[in-house]
């Protein structure tokens, strides 16, 4: 695996740069911020992630190891490829991405071109526990004092998945009746998962009642 490149910057384009490594030019895709830090003729160092496809080998470059780590973790989300992950890093700093994922702030991801509410909600769900802000213990969840801090985010995630606001609000309240500790923690991703599980169980119960009547 190519962990980083250090060499003379031979070219800087709109979406990529070429680093001269003793006569061999390596093309690297990067964010505008990273490309803006490079100067043709000067020395450049980029931390890299190599994406292997059947028909291509593509290098993505980052100004810090933290950026590369966040990029690699974003790729674990279904439907998020290298270009979209790079777009997220072009809009948000790595720490902002960690905070958004940890707090369940799906709206932060919708600020990225190409990411709508559904994808934003999926990113939050699939990144839960994988990205935490620096200085936060792994697995810890942020304490929220008021329901108003998390409920609108959960409702927004559910409406993006097809439920009406009324049904979403009602389902959240009913699901948390059996798990009040989740409301106290205020973790959006956990509350959303619990609500979706409750809806699935409620649907199964309704089906059993209908079968019994038949």
């Amino acid at each position: 695996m190519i962990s980083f490149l250090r060499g003379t910057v031979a070219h800087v384009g709109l979406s990529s740069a070429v680093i001269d490594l003793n006569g061999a030019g390596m093309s690297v895709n990067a964010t505008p911020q990273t490309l803006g830090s490079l100067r043709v003729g000067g020395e450049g160092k980029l931390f890299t992630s190599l994406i292997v496809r059947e028909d291509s080998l593509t290098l993505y470059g980052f100004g810090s190891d933290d950026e590369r780590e966040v990029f690699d973790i974003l790729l674990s989300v279904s439907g998020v490829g290298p270009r979209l992950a790079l777009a997220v890093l072009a809009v948000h700093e790595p720490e902002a991405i960690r905070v958004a994922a940890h707090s369940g702030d799906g709206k932060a991801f919708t600020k990225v071109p190409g990411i709508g509410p559904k994808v934003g909600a999926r990113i939050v769900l699939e990144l839960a526990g994988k990205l935490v802000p620096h200085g936060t213990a792994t697995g810890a969840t942020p304490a929220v004092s008021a329901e108003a801090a998390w409920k609108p985010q959960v409702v927004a995630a559910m409406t993006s998945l097809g439920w009406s606001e009324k049904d979403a609000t009602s389902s959240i309240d009913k699901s948390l009746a059996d798990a009040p500790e989740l409301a106290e923690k205020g973790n959006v991703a956990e509350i959303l998962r619990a609500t979706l599980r409750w809806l699935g169980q409620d649907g199964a119960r309704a089906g059993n009642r209908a079968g019994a009547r038949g």
Side-chain angles (χ1 to χ4, degrees):
M1 177 179 177
I2 303 174
S3 296
F4 70 88
L5 299 177
R6 177 187 285 133
T8 302
V9 179
H11 171 74
V12 178
L14 294 176
S15 60
S16 64
V18 176
I19 307 297
D20 185 346
L21 304 177
N22 298 319
M26 299 289 288
S27 179
V28 186
N29 294 318
T31 65
Q33 297 95 314
T34 298
L35 294 171
S37 69
L38 302 176
R39 297 292 180 269
V40 175
E43 184 179 80
K45 179 182 178 180
L46 296 176
F47 294 88
T48 57
S49 180
L50 178 64
I51 304 300
V52 180
R53 297 286 187 262
E54 290 184 1
D55 57 349
S56 66
L57 297 174
T58 308
L59 271 177
Y60 291 84
F62 311 92
S64 69
D65 194 36
D66 190 33
E67 285 187 358
R68 177 178 61 185
E69 180 183 1
V70 171
F71 174 83
D72 288 339
I73 293 175
L74 282 169
L75 293 180
S76 69
V77 178
S78 58
V80 175
R83 293 187 183 279
L84 193 55
L86 200 65
V88 174
L89 281 164
V91 173
H92 297 296
E93 293 291 327
E95 186 65 6
I97 297 171
R98 291 178 181 276
V99 170
H102 189 59
S103 64
D105 184 8
K107 288 185 178 180
F109 293 101
T110 63
K111 296 178 182 178
V112 179
I115 295 182
K118 285 188 177 181
V119 177
R122 184 166 69 244
I123 290 175
V124 165
L125 279 174
E126 296 190 24
L127 289 187
K130 295 182 180 179
L131 281 176
V132 297
H134 290 303
T136 302
T138 302
T141 54
V144 179
S145 59
E147 181 179 287
W150 55 260
K151 197 166 189 177
Q153 298 180 49
V154 181
V155 171
M158 292 188 66
T159 54
S160 73
L161 294 173
W163 279 275
S164 69
E165 185 172 337
K166 179 180 178 181
D167 288 342
T169 301
S170 174
S171 299
I172 293 167
D173 293 340
K174 291 177 181 177
S175 67
L176 292 185
D178 297 327
E181 69 279 2
L182 291 182
E184 294 176 5
K185 290 181 180 180
N187 185 282
V188 173
E190 289 186 1
I191 293 171
L192 179 58
R193 284 198 296 268
T195 303
L196 294 176
R197 283 197 300 270
W198 183 88
L199 282 166
Q201 293 167 359
D202 188 58
R205 287 193 293 268
N208 291 336
R209 289 195 297 269
R213 287 196 298 270

